[in-house]
Amino acid sequence: MAMYESEHTKFMREWMEKHPEEREEQRKGRALWWDKPQDLETLRRNAESKVAQKPYPYQNEV
């Protein structure tokens, strides 16, 4: 049984085979926007400073 592959996926696979230099550009873009070093202390402080939200914030107090 063959797995479904969209036309877009096929296009991108073929295009990347024809343009292997784009792999490096793809890595650079990912590093620029996504692969950031994480500061564990900042993450911990952000988690501790969250304020509990009411289940339905727009309900009037009666």
Side-chain angles (χ1 to χ4, degrees):
M1 178 178 189
M3 297 292 291
Y4 171 76
E5 186 173 65
S6 71
E7 288 184 28
H8 178 73
T9 302
K10 289 176 187 176
F11 168 78
M12 289 305 298
R13 189 180 318 278
E14 292 171 5
W15 193 82
M16 290 300 271
E17 286 174 5
K18 293 176 184 174
H19 301 90
E21 69 279 0
E22 290 299 320
R23 293 260 183 234
E24 185 58 33
E25 287 298 314
Q26 189 179 33
R27 280 190 210 102
K28 287 180 186 177
R30 180 181 170 107
L32 179 66
W33 293 104
W34 297 103
D35 297 336
K36 300 288 185 188
Q38 299 294 311
D39 178 20
L40 297 179
E41 179 63 22
T42 301
L43 292 174
R44 183 190 62 76
R45 283 187 289 131
N46 288 348
E48 289 176 353
S49 66
K50 286 188 178 179
V51 177
Q53 185 177 357
K54 296 178 183 179
Y56 188 70
Y58 302 108
Q59 182 176 6
N60 294 333
E61 300 284 331
V62 191

